[in-house]
Amino acid sequence: MGWTISHGTPTGGPTHRSYNGVERVAQSLSHALTTRDWALLKPVFARRSGDPFEISPDGARTIAALLTRAADSGLMTPDTAQAARELATAATRAADARHLWTWS
């Protein structure tokens, strides 16, 4: 089981991430960002259920910037930093298209 995340491929199609993989990214994000910045991402990355949700284009753009900042911080493992960059790219694609960024 895992998340299907919109705008995750170069053509704008969805990508799939395991719940455990997203949890590993969340743990790294919580250490790589300030408390304030993590608080902005926590509603997305520290969900207690797999219920679908949507993020506005403006919210996706903000998330993309924070994910990129964390990935570039040097405080994440190479694997989690790469996953954060890939999620940032998906969020940017959704924001640029003015679409909702959906996780289901």
Side-chain angles (χ1 to χ4, degrees):
M1 298 279 316
W3 290 109
T4 299
I5 303 168
S6 72
H7 300 85
T9 66
T11 60
T15 189
H16 304 282
R17 299 281 174 172
S18 71
Y19 292 138
N20 288 335
V22 172
E23 183 179 343
R24 281 190 300 276
V25 172
Q27 289 171 349
S28 289
L29 290 169
S30 72
H31 296 292
L33 294 169
T34 65
T35 301
R36 180 180 177 271
D37 288 344
W38 171 238
L40 296 171
L41 290 183
K42 192 173 180 179
V44 175
F45 289 92
R47 289 191 166 263
R48 301 224 184 263
S49 75
D51 292 340
F53 63 97
E54 299 173 331
I55 300 164
S56 71
D58 291 337
R61 189 163 315 280
T62 298
I63 290 168
L66 292 171
L67 288 169
T68 301
R69 181 183 307 154
D72 292 344
S73 71
L75 298 172
M76 298 178 77
T77 66
D79 289 346
T80 57
Q82 181 60 34
R85 284 186 187 92
E86 291 168 0
L87 290 167
T89 299
T92 299
R93 283 189 192 110
D96 287 349
R98 301 300 299 160
H99 293 165
L100 294 172
W101 191 32
T102 60
W103 290 51
S104 59

